[in-house]
Amino acid sequence: MRDHLLDEAFDRYLDWRAESEAVCEAYGRWSSATAADGADSFAAYRAALDREERAATVYSTLVARMKHVFDADLESAPAASGAPRL
């Protein structure tokens, strides 16, 4: 399960990074758009921001779930001799 979570987290991280890059590209198009194209470019920028936010939320949710699973693993694991428990 832990390996699956790590793989999934890495995939979601890559998704978020791709959406972040799309935001930068959309902003560049909007910031250099002509007045006639400004509204459409801004709409595309807003849509890119929404997609990036969704990807960030998915990634954040998965990281929180991983923390819960890994913390539970640490709590249930026997302490190494002489090592303090966290």
Side-chain angles (χ1 to χ4, degrees), residues 14-34:
L14 293 177
D15 291 345
W16 170 67
R17 292 291 299 151
E19 295 299 346
S20 294
E21 183 63 30
V23 166
C24 290
E25 292 170 5
Y27 179 80
R29 287 189 296 275
W30 172 52
S31 67
S32 62
T34 63

Side-chain angles (χ1 to χ4, degrees), residues 4-82:
H4 173 73
L5 283 174
L6 289 170
D7 290 342
E8 185 70 17
F10 186 68
D11 289 344
R12 297 302 67 85
Y13 171 77
L14 293 177
D15 291 345
W16 170 67
R17 292 291 299 151
E19 295 299 346
S20 294
E21 183 63 30
V23 166
C24 290
E25 292 170 5
Y27 179 80
R29 287 189 296 275
W30 172 52
S31 67
S32 62
T34 63
D37 295 330
D40 289 341
S41 296
F42 183 70
Y45 172 61
R46 292 279 313 260
L49 283 172
D50 289 343
R51 288 189 307 274
E52 189 272 341
E53 182 179 22
R54 282 193 300 274
T57 298
V58 169
Y59 177 56
S60 174
T61 300
L62 184 57
V63 168
R65 192 168 112 214
M66 287 174 51
K67 181 183 180 324
H68 177 74
V69 168
F70 292 167
D71 284 351
D73 286 351
L74 285 174
E75 290 173 7
S76 65
S81 60

